[in-house]
Amino acid sequence: MVNKKINLDTIDKVQALVGAATEASFEIDILTDNFIVNAKSIMGIFSLDRSSPVNISINADEGDEGFKAFLERIGEYIVD
C-alpha cells in the first residue's frame, strides 16, 4: 500500500483521477479526516472538501505496471 497527498482543487483533476482509478485493477481510496471514499466514485470525491490536498491510499505493489501507469497519469497532482 502506498500513500500520497494529492491536490484535487479543479473539476479536471477530479475527472482525471477518476478516469485513471477506473482503469486500475487495484483499490484506490481517498482519505480525509472523517471520510474514506473510493477514488472510482466521482460523486464521492465531489462530496469531500477539496480546498486543500487530500490523502490517497493505493493498494497495489509498487512494482506493478498498472501502479506505475496510474502514478504517471496523476503525477502532476501529487504534492509529496
Side-chain angles (χ1 to χ4, degrees):
M1 184 177 309
V2 176
N3 296 308
K4 302 277 185 190
K5 273 197 179 295
I6 60 171
N7 189 359
L8 295 175
D9 59 347
T10 68
I11 292 172
D12 291 337
K13 290 177 182 179
V14 172
Q15 289 174 326
L17 172 68
V18 171
T22 301
E23 292 179 11
S25 62
F26 42 85
E27 292 292 321
I28 305 162
D29 293 316
I30 297 174
L31 302 97
T32 65
D33 291 335
N34 299 318
F35 302 101
I36 298 174
V37 173
N38 188 319
K40 298 176 184 181
S41 170
I42 197 163
M43 293 302 290
I45 295 171
F46 280 126
S47 72
L48 301 174
D49 176 12
R50 297 172 292 108
S51 60
S52 59
V54 295
N55 295 308
I56 187 168
S57 177
I58 307 162
N59 192 14
D61 180 20
E62 291 185 46
D64 184 320
E65 288 299 317
F67 172 79
K68 293 176 186 176
F70 176 75
L71 283 186
E72 283 180 25
R73 287 190 61 187
I74 67 157
E76 64 187 273
Y77 312 137
I78 297 174
V79 238
D80 71 348

